[in-house]
Amino acid sequence: SASSSSPSSSPPSPNQQPNNNNNNNNHTTYAESLTPTQLRTLEASYPPVFYTSALDPTDPGVTDLLTHLLSRATPALEFAIPPTDISPLSIPERVESILREKIYRCLHREVPHAVRQVNR
């Protein structure tokens, strides 16, 4: 037989379910079901994705996101922009600007023909 029962070091497909039979709400993540080698391969290949809900104040995804951002933060003794400086942009304009920058980065610096944000 050509099949082998030994574990593979390649990461499972994103559509594959985690290897746990845990159907309760313990916040078991897909990453927790991977071997260390599989996890390192995925982390090196893809940017992190965080699933959060603004409707659930106890959503553990928010904690995951904050932990990730804090781990990536650069310690600084001073702010790059003084706290007294105020942006002339409204909050929706600031969000649009950040989204444009992120889309630009995801498209490998290619400028898309058009990008439209729809607020729900």
Side-chain angles (χ1 to χ4, degrees):
S1 167
S3 67
S4 171
S5 63
S6 65
S8 170
S9 63
S10 64
S13 71
N15 295 330
Q16 182 178 343
Q17 293 297 316
N19 295 331
N20 59 14
N21 296 326
N22 191 352
N23 289 333
N24 57 14
N25 292 331
N26 287 2
H27 186 61
T28 301
T29 65
Y30 176 71
E32 291 170 342
S33 70
L34 302 175
T35 66
T37 303
Q38 292 171 328
L39 187 58
R40 281 191 302 275
T41 301
L42 283 175
E43 287 174 344
S45 302
Y46 301 101
V49 175
F50 300 94
Y51 296 95
T52 63
S53 171
L55 300 176
D56 180 5
T58 63
D59 180 20
V62 174
T63 304
D64 294 344
L65 176 59
L66 288 174
T67 301
H68 174 75
L69 292 174
L70 288 171
S71 74
R72 305 269 325 237
T74 304
L77 298 176
E78 301 180 2
F79 288 106
I81 300 171
T84 55
D85 283 3
I86 299 173
S87 172
L89 301 176
S90 67
I91 291 177
E93 289 172 325
R94 285 187 241 171
V95 170
E96 289 172 4
S97 176
I98 292 168
L99 289 175
R100 272 193 302 274
E101 174 199 348
K102 299 303 177 189
I103 290 169
Y104 180 68
R105 285 185 182 186
C106 289
L107 295 175
H108 305 288
R109 309 234 185 305
E110 294 181 21
V111 179
H113 174 69
V115 174
R116 185 177 74 173
Q117 173 187 339
V118 177
N119 294 331
R120 296 177 195 207

